[in-house]
Amino acid sequence: MKRIAFIGLGVMGMPMCCNLIKAGYPMAVYARRPETLKKVVAEGAEAKSSSAEASKNADVIITMLPDSPEVEAVVLGPSGVLEGARPGSILIDMSSIAPSASKRIAARLGECGVRMLEAPVSGGQPGAIAGTLSIMVGGDQADFEECEEILKVMGKSVVRVGGIGAGNTVKLCNQIIVALNIAAVGEAFSLGTKAGVDPAVIFSAIRGGLAGSNAMDAKIPLVLERDFDPGFRIDLHIKDLANALQTGRDLTVPLPFTSLIMQVLQALKVESKGDLDHGAIMTFFEELAEVTISK
Amino acid sequence: MKRIAFIGLGVMGMPMCCNLIKAGYPMAVYARRPETLKKVVAEGAEAKSSSAEASKNADVIITMLPDSPEVEAVVLGPSGVLEGARPGSILIDMSSIAPSASKRIAARLGECGVRMLEAPVSGGQPGAIAGTLSIMVGGDQADFEECEEILKVMGKSVVRVGGIGAGNTVKLCNQIIVALNIAAVGEAFSLGTKAGVDPAVIFSAIRGGLAGSNAMDAKIPLVLERDFDPGFRIDLHIKDLANALQTGRDLTVPLPFTSLIMQVLQALKVESKGDLDHGAIMTFFEELAEVTISK
């Protein structure tokens, strides 16, 4: 069985790591916080003193970090993965980062004979706990096949979508659509509600038709209950859309709607809503119209 | 069985009228074009010389017209419905018009003892032919119950969403969301495709998750085949969004995203794409990025 190193034991990484331990994989870990290390050691992992040390005897090194700078620091920085990883090992970066950063890191690793897959996920903490994430993998087909069994411990849907960069690109497409579909619902329901129609009735009247979406089905019941507990935080959605806009600049792809929803998210952050679920995008439109989409 | 008059025998109205005739309703019709009248008379309708004449002996008068001005002209204008309709009869306006126009017409009819339901539909010509439209009804509960049987001949989902104006309001909510969900898909897939990812792969990777929508499921397969035959024409979507923006002004509901997608639709009209299916909204983003979302 492949020996795994796991770095990035946050709300997502911790349950993903624990699922791999339960599946029987020998696990080395590194974390800055002693209490995090303690917790995962209790599950059966071996604590190491740095990312380099954790990577030393690993066949597969998994990172699950907030954004591109953190991945670059942990992988390429001092006492990082690259200092410890042996040639022939594979880094699976499961963070959601800029595709350009992903390609840059893969190129640097390649110079040292370390392979890389990117495997951003969707499905949130519940999916991480249940091992039912959707995983969008970018990288070589052979490397993907070598790691598929490991990825399937963490995900229900594990799809290779192309070469390195493609995984994070697909994740960005996903995040653009999710943000805009929530905005569409927020704007439309603010109009309908202010016109005097019961929003629950609007929901039941249109959800089965062409306007129906998984975002509407997920978020309208929550907004009706005024439940904005994350879920997926607005701050994280800002991070993803910043990467989308950067990618648009890199490739000269104008993104007028993404650009506009990014401003909406910034406005919500100004209102200290960065820690709320992204369903709270709808509150931007409620405030514009001075109306509340509730039961 | 109620005697029906039907005015507005276009691509939607004709099959709706024919379904009512098949269901056994005595039917009077008026149309300006002799060939239209001839066709529906062959189905069993009785041709009349004006909207007023068609309405004279009817219990229920149905109108299915392009927009508010046409409905106001046919209902309130010279030789119109109101000149012929007897007190106690009911107008069911199944056009998609501005909620304010709908309320205005209902008020004017009410002064003469004629009741009104508004019952805009979604489902397009295939739904009209199959009798499987979704019908969003606004008006009094008692009037709704009186006409429910008739509406169920034309629609699979027949829901009363509130008083007069509510039906068209819900329709506008629906149209805002549909336009924006198509735009979201167009913008995201243009980015992903220009980044080198196969759009069919993006589709299969994200459609089951939070980004999934009925608009994506309906339109991505068509754009991949470069099939922009209507379906629902961009010109009609412009009409609906004009009514949405007007309603937003009436109620002081700012609609930044609807406003932006309206400009996109106008740009497409400049390119002579008004007669294409609204799936062609995606071509706006393709052209911005100089990329083609195709197989």
Side-chain angles (χ1 to χ4, degrees), chain A residues 31-206:
Chain A
R32 268 176 302 187
R33 290 190 206 159
E35 64 271 27
T36 304
L37 273 185
K38 208 170 156 185
K39 200 175 154 193
V40 72
V41 164
E43 299 285 330
E46 190 181 348
K48 299 289 186 175
S49 60
S50 70
S51 297
E53 285 297 321
S55 305
K56 242 171 203 166
N57 293 305
D59 302 305
V60 171
I61 303 123
I62 298 177
T63 46
M64 186 63 177
L65 296 157
D67 198 3
S68 318
E70 290 83 357
V71 177
E72 297 202 278
V74 163
V75 175
L76 307 178
S79 304
V81 170
L82 190 53
E83 282 188 13
R86 55 170 183 72
S89 63
I90 301 187
L91 171 72
I92 309 178
D93 180 35
M94 302 189 72
S95 323
S96 290
I97 68 173
S100 58
S102 195
K103 287 180 186 174
R104 205 160 51 229
I105 296 163
R108 185 73 192 83
L109 290 174
E111 291 167 11
C112 306
V114 176
R115 295 171 288 164
M116 176 169 160
L117 293 172
E118 43 162 22
V121 308
S122 76
Q125 200 185 10
I129 292 168
T132 57
L133 295 165
S134 290
I135 308 182
M136 296 150 262
V137 188
D140 286 348
Q141 178 66 25
D143 298 341
F144 172 68
E145 284 169 15
E146 199 174 321
C147 296
E148 202 172 356
E149 202 179 304
I150 290 172
L151 291 168
K152 283 193 167 160
V153 171
M154 297 175 281
K156 192 176 55 178
S157 157
V158 178
V159 182
R160 179 177 173 270
V161 295
I164 198 85
N168 276 299
T169 297
V170 170
K171 179 70 193 282
L172 294 180
C173 294
N174 189 81
Q175 296 303 80
I176 288 172
I177 293 169
V178 168
L180 290 172
N181 284 9
I182 296 172
V185 167
E187 185 161 307
F189 276 67
S190 291
L191 179 68
T193 304
K194 194 162 180 183
V197 187
D198 179 347
V201 170
I202 302 174
F203 181 47
S204 65
I206 70 176

Side-chain angles (χ1 to χ4, degrees), chain A residues 183 234 238 258-271 280-282 284-285, chain B residues 256-257:
Chain A
I234 281 175
I238 288 175
T258 306
S259 180
L260 185 56
I261 186 63
M262 181 60 147
Q263 303 311 311
V264 170
L265 291 170
Q266 300 282 1
L268 292 166
K269 195 170 167 63
V270 170
E271 294 183 62
I281 289 171
M282 287 189 270
F284 175 83
F285 301 95
Chain B
F257 286 84

Side-chain angles (χ1 to χ4, degrees), chain B residues 195-206:
Chain B
V197 187
D198 179 346
V201 170
I202 302 174
F203 181 47
S204 65
I206 69 176

Side-chain angles (χ1 to χ4, degrees), chain A residues 103 136 159-161 166 169-170 172-174 176-178 180-181 183-185 187-192 194-195 197 201-202 205-216 218-219 244 247-248 251-261 264 278 284-285 288-289, chain B residues 103 136 159-161 166 169-170 172-174 176-178 180-181 183-185 187-192 194-195 197 201-202 205-216 218-219 244 247-248 251-261 264 278 284-285 288-289:
Chain A
K103 287 180 186 174
M136 296 150 262
V159 182
R160 179 177 173 270
V161 295
T169 297
V170 170
L172 294 180
C173 294
N174 189 81
I176 288 172
I177 293 169
V178 168
L180 290 172
N181 284 9
V185 167
E187 185 161 307
F189 276 67
S190 291
L191 179 68
K194 194 162 180 183
V197 187
V201 170
I202 302 174
I206 70 176
R207 61 186 294 248
L210 197 56
S213 66
N214 294 344
M216 190 196 291
K219 302 304 179 187
T247 304
L251 303 174
T252 56
V253 176
L255 300 170
F257 285 84
T258 306
S259 180
L260 185 56
I261 186 63
V264 170
H278 57 170
F284 175 83
F285 301 95
L288 281 184
Chain B
K103 287 181 187 173
M136 296 150 264
V159 182
R160 178 177 173 268
V161 294
T169 297
V170 171
L172 294 181
C173 293
N174 188 81
I176 288 171
I177 294 168
V178 168
L180 290 172
N181 284 8
V185 167
E187 186 159 307
F189 276 67
S190 291
L191 179 67
K194 195 162 179 186
V197 187
V201 170
I202 302 174
I206 69 176
R207 62 185 294 245
L210 198 55
S213 66
N214 294 343
M216 190 196 293
K219 302 304 179 186
T247 304
L251 303 174
T252 56
V253 175
L255 300 170
F257 286 84
T258 306
S259 178
L260 185 56
I261 187 63
V264 170
H278 57 170
F284 175 83
F285 301 95
L288 281 185

Side-chain angles (χ1 to χ4, degrees), chain B:
Chain B
M1 223 162 186
K2 285 188 195 303
R3 291 160 300 174
I4 301 179
F6 205 112
I7 300 150
L9 298 164
V11 291
M12 295 292 292
M14 178 63 86
M16 290 160 70
C17 180
C18 289
N19 282 334
L20 289 166
I21 294 168
K22 273 179 212 131
Y25 288 98
M27 180 67 69
V29 293
Y30 169 68
R32 270 176 300 185
R33 290 191 206 158
E35 64 272 26
T36 304
L37 272 184
K38 207 171 156 185
K39 199 176 154 191
V40 73
V41 164
E43 298 284 329
E46 191 181 348
K48 299 288 186 174
S49 61
S50 71
S51 297
E53 285 298 321
S55 304
K56 241 170 203 163
N57 293 305
D59 302 305
V60 170
I61 304 122
I62 299 177
T63 46
M64 187 61 178
L65 296 158
D67 199 2
S68 318
E70 291 83 357
V71 177
E72 296 202 279
V74 162
V75 175
L76 307 177
S79 304
V81 170
L82 191 53
E83 281 188 13
R86 54 170 185 73
S89 62
I90 300 187
L91 171 73
I92 310 178
D93 178 36
M94 302 190 73
S95 324
S96 290
I97 68 173
S100 58
S102 195
K103 287 181 187 173
R104 205 160 52 231
I105 296 163
R108 185 73 193 83
L109 290 173
E111 291 165 12
C112 305
V114 176
R115 295 171 288 163
M116 176 169 160
L117 293 172
E118 45 163 20
V121 307
S122 76
Q125 199 187 10
I129 292 167
T132 56
L133 295 166
S134 289
I135 307 182
M136 296 150 264
V137 188
D140 287 346
Q141 178 66 27
D143 299 341
F144 171 69
E145 285 169 13
E146 200 175 321
C147 296
E148 202 173 356
E149 203 178 306
I150 291 171
L151 291 167
K152 283 194 166 159
V153 171
M154 296 175 281
K156 191 176 56 176
S157 158
V158 179
V159 182
R160 178 177 173 268
V161 294
I164 198 87
N168 276 299
T169 297
V170 171
K171 180 70 193 282
L172 294 181
C173 293
N174 188 81
Q175 297 302 80
I176 288 171
I177 294 168
V178 168
L180 290 172
N181 284 8
I182 296 172
V185 167
E187 186 159 307
F189 276 67
S190 291
L191 179 67
T193 304
K194 195 162 179 186
V197 187
D198 179 346
V201 170
I202 302 174
F203 181 47
S204 65
I206 69 176
R207 62 185 294 245
L210 198 55
S213 66
N214 294 343
M216 190 196 293
D217 282 349
K219 302 304 179 186
I220 285 291
L222 296 178
V223 75
L224 290 175
E225 299 285 352
R226 312 311 294 168
D227 177 0
F228 299 117
D229 287 348
F232 186 76
R233 288 187 296 114
I234 280 174
D235 278 340
L236 280 170
H237 218 138
I238 288 175
K239 182 262 294 182
D240 286 337
L241 295 188
N243 284 329
L245 291 168
Q246 179 60 53
T247 304
R249 283 196 294 280
D250 293 346
L251 303 174
T252 56
V253 175
L255 300 170
F257 286 84
T258 306
S259 178
L260 185 56
I261 187 63
M262 182 61 147
Q263 303 312 311
V264 170
L265 291 170
Q266 301 282 1
L268 292 167
K269 195 171 166 64
V270 169
E271 294 183 62
S272 307
K273 291 182 174 174
D275 277 329
L276 298 188
D277 184 68
H278 57 170
I281 289 171
M282 286 189 270
T283 66
F284 175 83
F285 301 95
E286 292 182 322
E287 286 164 22
L288 281 185
E290 294 190 344
V291 71
T292 306
I293 304 165
S294 65
K295 291 214 218 188

